[in-house]
Amino acid sequence: MRMIKWQNGTVFTPDQTKLPLREVTLEIKTVDQMCEAIKVLRVRGAPLLGAAAAFGVALAAYHSKAGCRGELLAELEEAADRIKSQRPTAVNLFWGADRVLNKARGVSGDMQQVKDAVVVEAQKIADEDAEQNHAIGKLGAELIKDGDTILTHCNAGELATVEYGTALAPIRVAWEQGKKIKVIADETRPLLQGARLTTYELMRDGIPVTLITDNMTAYVMSKGLVDLVIVGADRIVQDAVFNKIGTYGVAVLAKEHNVPFYVAAPKSTFDLTRKAAGVIVEERTPEEVTHIGGVQIAPSGVKVFNPAFDPTPLKYVSGIICEKQIYYPKDYATLKP
Ligand code: MRU
């Protein structure tokens, strides 16, 4: 199912803050609305953010009243900058906005041709993401044996992508192949993407899933209840994989318990020009920690630290499942920008 669609200057996508209790479709018509949706995680997950950023610039192009090509390009640059400033860690956001912007800059025709090219390029980004996720699914399913239990963190499923998911794609293919597999989803505090979104989409698709709280992972692994871990990524740099806060802890636990730890991500999530130290980790509002579902659970005014992502050093990563191939530790040093 497509998670983001473009129709005549409107972007349609589920409001993920409402799930799983309500299924609400957003109709985004302006760059401001797209920025707000990205900021508060109505639209989230690295690959979906890449497509959303591209469609955000496409909204600016489609609705532009610019009088000349230069003015139009300036408007698109301003829109891309605003979209990119909403969240700093997921590299797809920057990649998606910049790709359509570069497309616009390269069109030598009139204004309408620039506008059309931007919309076409955004749609192409969405289509490519869907294809890549299916490819990730096929390759990654080879790592899953009949009877395996796979633990995943956060939501790297269909909701986090244009279609099919990254970490959940191999799980979907293995299930379609008839393998009797099970999934353990950890809840993923503070915003509960595992509890709210991963369980929702797996249950919808009939794939067996068990929900645990984040602090149960060590016990569950110590009992031999996990055969492998697959997570998504927000940015893969030379020495680490950035993903939802808590991923690093899961990776360390996996190593301690001899459980393979895989990352599934398309090439658009790679940023091999950088090392972990050069990446900004998003810090979000204290309310996300002091409240759950709008209910306050900590004293008013308590000091809070709320980083949204952590880097997992590559030494903990058994393999990176990409659309073209699975990279194993022997390949990591050969990865180039
Ligand atoms: O803050 P979020 O919900 O956007 O974080 C999402 C994640 O960390 C996902 O695991 C990652 O983007 C991969 S999505 C295929």
Side-chain angles (χ1 to χ4, degrees), residues 73-154:
L73 286 179
E75 282 181 11
L76 300 189
E77 273 161 28
E78 191 271 337
D81 283 348
R82 240 170 346 121
I83 291 165
K84 290 189 285 186
S85 71
Q86 300 307 313
R87 299 190 71 189
T89 310
V91 74
N92 305 58
L93 186 70
F94 300 80
W95 171 87
D98 287 339
R99 185 166 142 181
V100 285
L101 200 54
N102 286 334
K103 187 76 195 179
R105 289 184 184 127
V107 176
S108 51
D110 63 19
M111 281 210 296
Q112 194 53 50
Q113 283 169 311
V114 176
K115 291 182 182 186
D116 291 346
V118 167
V119 175
V120 168
E121 190 68 7
Q123 190 59 57
K124 207 167 151 208
I125 285 176
D127 293 343
E128 284 173 10
D129 185 62
E131 265 172 48
Q132 287 159 1
N133 297 333
H134 285 277
I136 286 171
K138 275 199 197 112
L139 276 176
E142 291 167 20
L143 302 167
I144 301 176
K145 295 187 297 301
D146 193 19
D148 273 355
T149 298
I150 306 110
L151 184 137
T152 191
H153 183 67
C154 193

Side-chain angles (χ1 to χ4, degrees), residues 236-241 267 270-274 314 317 319-322 325-337:
I236 298 173
V237 294
Q238 288 168 17
D239 53 349
V241 171
K267 270 300 185 66
F270 284 65
D271 176 12
L272 297 167
T273 59
R274 247 174 265 267
L314 286 183
V317 180
I320 303 174
I321 311 162
C322 214
Q325 70 175 94
I326 302 176
Y327 295 103
Y328 290 101
K330 66 176 171 43
D331 308 313
Y332 296 165
T334 67
L335 288 168
K336 292 275 169 298

